[in-house]
């Protein structure tokens, strides 16, 4: 009787153990791909499922967004500038069956595709484009990578270029070029300012020339501004239209002695 009881207990334990090994819980963000004797079965949705030991093989596929960091890649741009570029890729599995059946490891395959695409795309553009038009390059990278990973049931949502490292000599050359560009713009702005100022002065001169009274008022205003500083000595000319009549009037009254008068005197 004791032997029978022990056998029953052992059998019950084996049944419970087999049942525990057969029951699998699929979480909400996972999908279960089951192969029974090597043949694909329907996808297991989230919940509790029975997996027959030694007959079924369960593969869990995570459908959440995965953040993939691409290590720094050595690239040579179109203008023959060496650079080290790294990026980040965000992707998720949209078709679990394709992700298991079409590729051995979709995460590694996506990483390799992203690295080769990054080197290929950046090698077709110059350094200025890499530095100034990252958004357009990110869109091109995403489109190319997504087209290659779509047969695997993988959707690429974001591709972002993070850092671009260039040689120190190139950085100094770019700094000199940026400084020269700033100086050029400053000279252009100054020249435009002088041109506008000269045009305004010409218009003011034309306006004042039409009204002599306005010109005299402007002249007096300038003298008043100069006289505000008591420590300065100001020398200013008088207009010829003022001193001209005076010179003619007083100059005619002063006569030089004639030569005959000088002889008589002798």
């Amino acid at each position: 009787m004791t032997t029978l009881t022990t056998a029953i207990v052992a059998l019950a334990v084996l049944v419970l153990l087999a049942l525990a090994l057969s029951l699998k819980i699929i979480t909400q963000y996972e999908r279960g791909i089951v192969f029974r004797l090597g043949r694909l079965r329907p996808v297991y949705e989230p919940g509790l499922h029975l997996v027959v030991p030694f007959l079924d093989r369960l593969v869990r596929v995570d459908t959440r967004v995965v953040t993939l960091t691409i290590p720094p890649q050595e690239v040579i741009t179109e203008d023959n500038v060496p650079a080290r570029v790294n990026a980040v890729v965000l992707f998720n599995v949209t078709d679990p069956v394709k992700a298991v059946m079409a590729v051995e490891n979709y995460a590694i395959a996506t990483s390799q595709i992203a690295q080769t695409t990054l080197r290929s795309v950046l090698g077709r553009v110059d350094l200025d484009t890499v530095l100034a038009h990252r958004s357009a390059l990110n869109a091109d990278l995403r489109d190319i990578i997504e087209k290659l990973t779509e047969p695997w049931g993988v959707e690429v949502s974001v591709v972002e270029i993070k850092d671009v490292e260039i040689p120190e000599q190139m950085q100094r050359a770019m700094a000199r070029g940026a400084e020269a560009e700033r100086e050029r713009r400053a000279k252009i702005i100054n020249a435009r300012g002088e041109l506008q100022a000269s045009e305004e002065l010409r218009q003011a001169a034309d306006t004042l020339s039409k009204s002599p009274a306005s010109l005299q008022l402007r002249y007096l205003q300038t003298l008043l501004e100069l006289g505000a500083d008591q420590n300065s000595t100001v020398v200013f000319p008088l207009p010829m239209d003022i001193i001209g009549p005076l010179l003619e009037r007083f100059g005619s009254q002063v006569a030089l002695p004639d030569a005959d008068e000088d002889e008589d005197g002798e």
Side-chain angles (χ1 to χ4, degrees):
M1 191 68 179
T2 304
T3 305
L4 181 58
T5 303
T6 303
I8 293 174
V9 172
L11 182 59
V13 171
L14 291 175
V15 171
L16 291 176
L17 182 60
L19 186 61
L21 294 175
S22 301
L23 294 177
K24 301 293 182 181
I25 297 177
I26 305 297
T27 56
Q28 186 65 37
Y29 56 83
E30 292 180 332
R31 298 296 183 269
I33 306 300
V34 178
F35 296 90
R36 177 166 294 175
L37 296 177
R39 296 182 65 86
L40 179 66
R41 290 182 56 81
V43 178
Y44 282 11
E45 298 294 331
L48 183 64
H49 297 275
L50 180 64
V51 178
V52 181
F54 308 108
L55 296 180
D56 295 344
R57 182 172 67 90
L58 175 64
V59 179
R60 298 176 183 269
V61 179
D62 195 329
T63 59
R64 292 177 295 181
V65 176
V66 179
T67 302
L68 176 64
T69 300
I70 301 177
Q73 302 295 309
E74 298 286 346
V75 299
I76 298 179
T77 60
E78 188 180 19
D79 50 351
N80 295 324
V81 177
R84 287 171 57 88
V85 183
N86 62 350
V88 62
V89 179
L90 302 182
F91 68 91
N92 65 293
V93 176
T94 57
D95 192 333
V97 175
K98 290 182 179 180
V100 175
M101 298 291 294
V103 64
E104 181 180 3
N105 190 317
Y106 63 88
I108 295 178
T110 302
S111 175
Q112 295 298 320
I113 287 295
Q115 294 179 31
T116 56
T117 304
L118 180 64
R119 291 194 297 267
S120 176
V121 171
L122 297 186
R124 297 197 299 263
V125 298
D126 54 15
L127 182 61
D128 292 338
T129 303
V130 175
L131 297 177
H133 300 87
R134 289 194 183 184
S135 58
L137 292 175
N138 292 335
D140 293 341
L141 288 170
R142 191 190 72 83
D143 294 340
I144 295 173
I145 297 174
E146 185 178 23
K147 186 179 297 183
L148 296 174
T149 59
E150 185 178 3
W152 306 338
V154 175
E155 180 183 3
V156 178
S157 56
V158 175
V159 177
E160 288 287 342
I161 298 175
K162 293 176 61 177
D163 298 321
V164 179
E165 300 178 5
I166 58 178
E168 186 176 355
Q169 295 179 354
M170 183 59 62
Q171 293 180 10
R172 291 196 295 266
M174 293 177 62
R176 291 194 298 270
E179 184 178 359
E181 179 65 19
R182 288 193 296 268
E183 292 179 356
R184 183 185 69 85
R185 293 181 180 178
K187 291 180 179 178
I188 292 176
I189 293 174
N190 290 335
R192 290 177 178 175
E194 292 179 359
L195 178 61
Q196 293 178 0
S198 62
E199 181 65 23
E200 295 292 335
L201 288 175
R202 186 188 64 80
Q203 294 179 4
D206 293 340
T207 303
L208 291 175
S209 64
K210 297 177 182 178
S211 176
S214 299
L215 183 59
Q216 294 295 331
L217 289 175
R218 181 58 180 167
Y219 182 75
L220 294 176
Q221 183 181 3
T222 303
L223 295 179
L224 181 61
E225 292 176 356
L226 293 175
D229 190 358
Q230 298 179 358
N231 296 326
S232 62
T233 300
V234 181
V235 178
F236 57 91
L238 292 175
M240 290 301 298
D241 56 352
I242 296 178
I243 65 174
L246 295 177
L247 291 176
E248 293 178 356
R249 179 179 179 182
F250 291 102
S252 61
Q253 296 178 1
V254 178
L256 295 176
D258 295 334
D260 296 339
E261 294 179 357
D262 291 341
E263 291 178 354
D264 295 338
E266 290 178 355

